[in-house]
Amino acid sequence: MTSNKEQNVKFEIKDDQLVVSIGIESLKRSIEHDAPEIIVTDSGQAAVAIKRVISSEEQDGRTPFHSMIAEAAYQALGDGETGLDEADC
């Protein structure tokens, strides 16, 4: 059985929420794989830093996480997924 800290990224719809979770050791591997010029020296502290960055609010309340969701929505729309449509502007 995989421990929580080793859990790969997991996406679920649970109780009407999109839940995203990743173990801190999996986060470390992801960072070091996708940003090879960065070495994670403390997984716990790195997780706190990543959480701070992706949840940091601009003046309008938007976060980098909101931007990621918007990009995913554009991709899903382009892929012909259901549940999304273009707005009449």
Side-chain angles (χ1 to χ4, degrees):
M1 184 173 175
T2 304
S3 71
N4 283 344
K5 69 180 182 178
E6 296 291 336
Q7 176 190 308
N8 290 325
V9 67
K10 184 177 179 181
F11 301 92
E12 318 176 77
I13 304 296
K14 186 176 182 180
D15 298 325
D16 292 328
Q17 294 183 330
L18 170 61
V19 179
V20 181
S21 60
I22 185 170
I24 62 173
E25 289 303 315
S26 293
L27 179 64
K28 174 187 186 293
R29 286 192 302 276
S30 179
I31 292 167
E32 291 179 346
H33 179 267
D34 294 325
E37 57 281 338
I38 297 175
I39 297 170
V40 175
T41 58
D42 184 300
S43 297
Q45 289 179 345
V48 169
I50 296 299
K51 177 190 170 284
R52 183 188 59 75
V53 170
I54 64 175
S55 65
S56 63
E57 291 187 8
E58 297 293 328
Q59 287 183 326
D60 64 359
R62 293 185 46 77
T63 68
F65 191 75
H66 289 111
S67 298
M68 183 203 63
I69 291 170
E71 286 300 314
Y74 282 119
Q75 179 69 45
L77 181 63
D79 290 349
E81 297 287 346
T82 59
L84 301 161
D85 207 345
E86 290 186 43
D88 294 328
C89 295

